[in-house]
């Protein structure tokens, strides 16, 4: 179920399908970002399915070369994004009742060394 949700979320995000994204998100979904003060990241959580979907689609507007890959994060399905500048993020998803309740987005380069080196948290 978790892997299916991650795959559906990835597809909807890649094609910019706002309706599908909102449908995959819990109405009270929250995105929490960690830039570590080293890269841009929202300083406070963003809540609500529409607001979270809008933020995600905004990433593609700012970074049209963005790639999204499924990966394993702490033993669970997650996503790895890479931008044209090499900037990356690792995203973990916390499901609740078949929808995405929380997205944890780590952009802090100090916490991403395993992925930069081609590995990842297994």
């Amino acid at each position: 179920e978790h892997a299916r949700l991650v795959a559906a979320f990835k597809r909807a995000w890649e094609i910019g399908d706002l309706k599908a994204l909102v449908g995959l998100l819990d109405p009270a979904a929250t995105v929490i970002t960690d830039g570590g003060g080293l890269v841009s990241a929202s300083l406070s959580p963003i809540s609500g399915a529409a607001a979270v979907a809008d933020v995600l689609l905004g990433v593609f507007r700012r970074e049209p070369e963005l790639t999204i890959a499924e990966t394993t994060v702490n033993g669970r399905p997650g996503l790895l994004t890479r931008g044209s500048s090499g900037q990356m993020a690792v995203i973990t998803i916390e499901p609740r009742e078949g929808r995405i309740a929380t997205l944890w987005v780590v952009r802090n380069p100090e916490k991403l060394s395993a992925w930069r080196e081609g590995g990842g948290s297994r």
Side-chain angles (χ1 to χ4, degrees):
E1 157 104 24
H2 193 137
R4 179 202 58 78
L5 191 58
V6 169
F9 177 77
K10 174 185 179 284
R11 279 190 306 276
W13 191 13
E14 284 176 325
I15 64 171
D17 188 337
L18 177 63
K19 185 176 179 182
L21 280 173
V22 170
L24 290 165
L25 294 164
D26 183 274
T30 302
V31 63
I32 299 167
T33 58
D34 172 8
L38 302 172
V39 296
S40 64
S42 177
L43 298 178
S44 18
I46 297 161
S47 295
V52 169
D54 189 52
V55 165
L56 293 168
L57 295 178
V59 171
F60 265 118
R61 285 191 294 273
R62 290 186 307 276
E63 183 62 62
E65 302 295 317
L66 188 75
T67 61
I68 307 169
E70 293 180 51
T71 190
T72 302
V73 184
N74 298 325
R76 299 182 74 184
L79 299 169
L80 172 66
T81 65
R82 292 182 191 272
S84 58
S85 67
Q87 189 89 216
M88 62 173 47
V90 172
I91 303 169
T92 56
I93 292 173
E94 180 182 316
R96 179 174 52 233
E97 298 177 7
R99 288 182 153 177
I100 297 167
T102 307
L103 291 156
W104 301 89
V105 181
V106 177
R107 298 194 66 229
N108 181 343
E110 293 178 347
K111 295 181 180 178
L112 298 175
S113 61
W115 280 272
R116 273 196 306 277
E117 295 159 9
S121 179
R122 301 267 188 278

